[in-house]
Amino acid sequence: MITTDATPGSPCWLDLGAPDVRAAAAFYSAVLGWEYESMGEGEDMEGGMFRKDGKTVAGLGKLTEEGARPAWMIYYSVTDADATTQAVERAGGTVRVAPRDLGDWGRMAQYTDPLGGQFAVWQPGKNTGFELVEEPGSLSWTELYTSDAAAAKEFYGGVFGWRFGDMELPGGGGTYTLITPEGLPEERMQGGLMEVRKEDLALAGGRPYWHPVFAVADCDATIAKVTENGGSVQMGPEDAEGVGRLAVCLDPSNADFVVLTPSRS
């Protein structure tokens, strides 16, 4: 489970880089029931916050990096962004955005893992991150698709101290690796990673990529809203034993995300 307690190594924030902020705000508001609050618009700045039931769930910003694809960026909580940057570099990763302060909110940095997967970290100041998780319309899981699971485990384990547990998917679907923050019990599992073929990573030009899984009350009703509002469904809906009913989706600009109606325990 994901929480809002900013445990080191756990997801604490996510934001979307979109080519059209207004269109992205309209899409996710319709699909996930989010309210969008603009933080200011202009030539150099366009973006804001998404809220669900008055609580912050994610951010949205204008995609400005040349050659970058529209995508969700997942941030992991750390106690020292500078020390994490050094750990990333020692483990063979690269720094995309060097650590920097965002006022008194906190300190952030963005990286690329050795195979090309992008992720970010947040060192909390006054702001610890999102305010709602594990509820319909909020983050409930994180997932990495990679062409080399062993290399990914070595890298992220070295940077965050994550613990990993492998499980075989039914029907010969391969091995899925569960991720738990350092020092926490298995019930605090926060995400997973899966090895896929490079040709299955076409969305990111053959590079690994992280994506968010959003909890929803009704998977089928949600994907109907996805397609009604210009998005598409890449896989599903399908039932995953012990997990729930899920679908892999793309928004109108091809940023990927998953919607999941969890199984009732």
Side-chain angles (χ1 to χ4, degrees), residues 17 19 63-71 96 118 207:
L63 184 66
T64 57
E65 183 179 348
E66 186 175 351
R69 74 176 184 95
R96 297 181 61 249
Q118 297 182 353
R207 297 184 303 275

Side-chain angles (χ1 to χ4, degrees), residues 29-94:
S29 295
V31 171
L32 295 175
W34 288 349
E35 305 91 33
Y36 176 64
E37 179 182 332
S38 175
M39 299 289 285
E41 298 182 0
E43 185 175 339
D44 298 323
M45 176 180 177
E46 188 176 12
M49 301 290 182
F50 285 119
R51 301 185 191 280
K52 176 69 173 177
D53 301 328
K55 297 181 179 180
T56 306
V57 291
L60 172 63
K62 180 78 171 180
L63 184 66
T64 57
E65 183 179 348
E66 186 175 351
R69 74 176 184 95
W72 284 96
M73 179 71 70
I74 300 173
Y75 291 71
Y76 296 93
S77 185
V78 296
T79 56
D80 187 331
D82 297 273
T84 301
T85 297
Q86 294 172 7
V88 165
E89 293 177 321
R90 285 196 302 269
T94 56

Side-chain angles (χ1 to χ4, degrees), residues 14-16 28 34 50 58-59 70-74 210 212 214 255-257:
L14 71 163
D15 56 36
L16 173 67
Y28 287 97
W34 288 349
F50 285 119
W72 284 96
M73 179 71 70
I74 300 173
W210 288 92
F214 297 115
D256 56 300
F257 63 100

Side-chain angles (χ1 to χ4, degrees), residues 3-265:
T3 71
T4 59
D5 62 6
T7 297
S10 66
C12 65
W13 184 247
L14 71 163
D15 56 36
L16 173 67
D20 186 329
V21 167
R22 290 182 178 85
F27 174 81
Y28 287 97
S29 295
V31 171
L32 295 175
W34 288 349
E35 305 91 33
Y36 176 64
E37 179 182 332
S38 175
M39 299 289 285
E41 298 182 0
E43 185 175 339
D44 298 323
M45 176 180 177
E46 188 176 12
M49 301 290 182
F50 285 119
R51 301 185 191 280
K52 176 69 173 177
D53 301 328
K55 297 181 179 180
T56 306
V57 291
L60 172 63
K62 180 78 171 180
L63 184 66
T64 57
E65 183 179 348
E66 186 175 351
R69 74 176 184 95
W72 284 96
M73 179 71 70
I74 300 173
Y75 291 71
Y76 296 93
S77 185
V78 296
T79 56
D80 187 331
D82 297 273
T84 301
T85 297
Q86 294 172 7
V88 165
E89 293 177 321
R90 285 196 302 269
T94 56
V95 180
R96 297 181 61 249
V97 178
R100 64 186 185 191
D101 294 323
L102 297 181
D104 57 2
W105 281 19
R107 189 165 173 81
M108 62 82 68
Q110 295 185 0
Y111 314 107
T112 303
D113 72 26
L115 294 174
Q118 297 182 353
F119 67 105
V121 298
W122 179 252
Q123 178 184 328
K126 286 187 175 180
N127 190 306
T128 57
F130 39 46
E131 299 172 334
L132 183 71
V133 292
E134 298 282 347
E135 297 290 338
S138 66
L139 185 70
S140 64
W141 193 251
T142 64
E143 197 165 57
L144 173 68
Y145 290 166
T146 180
S147 56
D148 191 333
K153 288 190 280 188
E154 182 178 0
F155 173 77
Y156 289 101
V159 170
F160 292 120
W162 288 346
R163 293 188 296 107
F164 303 101
D166 292 342
M167 60 177 285
E168 294 303 313
L169 295 174
T175 302
Y176 192 84
T177 299
L178 300 166
I179 300 169
T180 304
E182 184 177 20
L184 293 183
E186 286 189 0
E187 55 262 30
R188 284 293 302 272
M189 285 185 300
Q190 64 193 30
L193 65 87
M194 185 172 179
E195 183 170 306
V196 298
R197 301 171 303 171
K198 278 197 173 182
E199 51 264 41
D200 296 325
L201 299 171
L203 191 64
R207 297 184 303 275
Y209 58 89
W210 288 92
H211 58 217
V213 178
F214 297 115
V216 295
D218 186 326
C219 179
D220 294 76
T222 300
I223 63 173
K225 293 178 182 177
V226 167
T227 56
E228 288 167 5
N229 287 277
S232 60
V233 178
Q234 298 298 291
M235 186 192 77
E238 63 182 39
D239 295 315
E241 185 178 355
V243 176
R245 189 162 176 81
L246 58 86
V248 180
C249 304
L250 298 179
D251 71 16
S253 65
N254 285 340
D256 56 300
F257 63 100
V258 177
V259 294
L260 167 69
T261 300
S263 298
R264 293 182 179 179
S265 56

